[in-house]
Amino acid sequence: MYVVLALSDAFVMPILAEFSQLLNAERFPRIVELFLQSAIKKSYQAGETIVFQNQQLDHLGLLQHGEAEIEIISFEGDMLIAEKFFAGTVLSAAAFLDGKTSPAAVVAATQCTVLFVPYSKLRQDPALNSEAVLLAGLCAAGLYRMAEQLMSSSLLLPLKERVMQRLTRLNREDGEVIITAEKLATYLAVSKHRVHRILNDLEKEQRIENSYGAVRLLGRD
């Protein structure tokens, strides 16, 4: 069920990843004002789908609270988790430009709050539309850079370094990543047995501490 809300300026503050810092009041004052005045809010529990793969999109979204994962299902039914998004991330921006369906699903990894603004409202005012076009372009470029990095690492890096790279990307600030080997394997598109072996090797090398459902990165000081 959708409800209209008013919210504070806090949600536009830069948060963690560069991709979640794109929407800010200095660069996009009209879009921020639109979110402040008339955003539509929806809450999701962990595991609920926010955006479905191949869904036709008509709203710009903003992940206000929580974390969400980008899931891609192949024609064979295999699932890849391409990335995790954090609070502050703009959702469904590229479709504002080309009108295409979503190439991936966005699924809540934790309890999430997402704000929505209809594309139609963004197009009503020329100045607002200009901001939206710029924001969508920057989001598309950011997604391209992420895809480029993922492709490069999958082709060029040994699996051990891919595991470390992914753990580093998933880490927040304390060095601990709450994740199972099976979930980590889904991020890397390999078997969980290979991930288990790599985690054991990394622990022997004292690069991580591995326990059930969590990995702690070592040597960070």
Side-chain angles (χ1 to χ4, degrees):
M1 180 177 181
Y2 290 103
V3 294
V4 177
L5 91 162
L7 62 154
S8 71
D9 292 320
F11 82 90
V12 300
M13 295 296 291
I15 304 172
L16 297 177
E18 180 180 348
F19 192 70
S20 65
Q21 299 176 21
L22 289 176
L23 183 59
N24 61 78
E26 182 178 353
R27 195 167 195 179
F28 303 104
R30 293 174 180 83
I31 293 179
V32 169
E33 185 66 21
L34 185 61
F35 271 109
L36 289 170
Q37 289 186 348
S38 58
I40 299 168
K41 180 173 110 172
K42 189 173 182 182
S43 296
Y44 299 86
Q45 298 301 313
E48 282 193 86
T49 300
I50 300 169
V51 177
F52 289 89
Q53 188 170 340
N54 299 318
Q55 177 181 337
Q56 190 68 50
L57 303 169
D58 57 6
H59 283 69
L60 185 70
L62 179 67
L63 183 58
Q64 184 187 19
H65 297 300
E67 301 173 359
E69 293 173 335
I70 308 307
E71 298 182 356
I72 301 173
I73 306 297
S74 71
F75 289 112
E76 292 78 22
D78 298 320
M79 184 179 74
L80 168 69
I81 300 177
E83 193 53 84
K84 177 177 280 189
F85 285 160
F86 301 102
T89 300
V90 177
L91 306 176
S92 306
F96 178 79
L97 295 176
D98 61 14
K100 303 291 186 180
T101 58
S102 175
V106 181
V107 179
T110 64
Q111 185 173 354
C112 291
T113 302
V114 184
L115 309 177
F116 295 98
V117 170
Y119 291 162
S120 57
K121 282 193 175 182
L122 295 170
R123 295 188 174 108
Q124 286 177 355
D125 176 75
L128 188 58
N129 183 73
S130 295
E131 283 191 12
V133 169
L134 175 58
L135 177 62
L138 291 173
C139 287
L143 291 171
Y144 170 78
R145 296 301 180 193
M146 289 182 194
E148 184 180 48
Q149 185 178 48
L150 289 171
M151 179 65 72
S152 297
S153 64
S154 65
L155 292 175
L156 302 175
L157 291 180
L159 181 57
K160 184 182 292 186
E161 297 312 314
R162 290 176 59 202
V163 169
M164 284 300 298
Q165 184 183 80
R166 174 49 63 183
L167 290 172
T168 301
R169 289 171 71 91
L170 292 173
N171 172 55
R172 300 301 293 270
E173 295 179 353
D174 60 0
E176 186 172 60
V177 181
I178 305 301
I179 194 168
T180 63
E182 184 175 9
K183 188 66 169 285
L184 185 56
T186 308
Y187 272 100
L188 299 165
V190 298
S191 72
K192 65 179 180 180
H193 304 291
R194 292 183 67 191
V195 170
H196 271 300
R197 288 197 297 270
I198 293 295
L199 291 176
N200 288 336
D201 289 344
L202 289 170
E203 190 163 37
K204 291 176 183 176
E205 295 171 8
Q206 298 185 339
R207 298 173 70 182
I208 66 168
E209 287 181 356
N210 186 29
S211 59
Y212 182 75
V215 177
R216 179 172 292 279
L217 303 176
L218 301 178
R220 293 164 48 82
D221 297 330

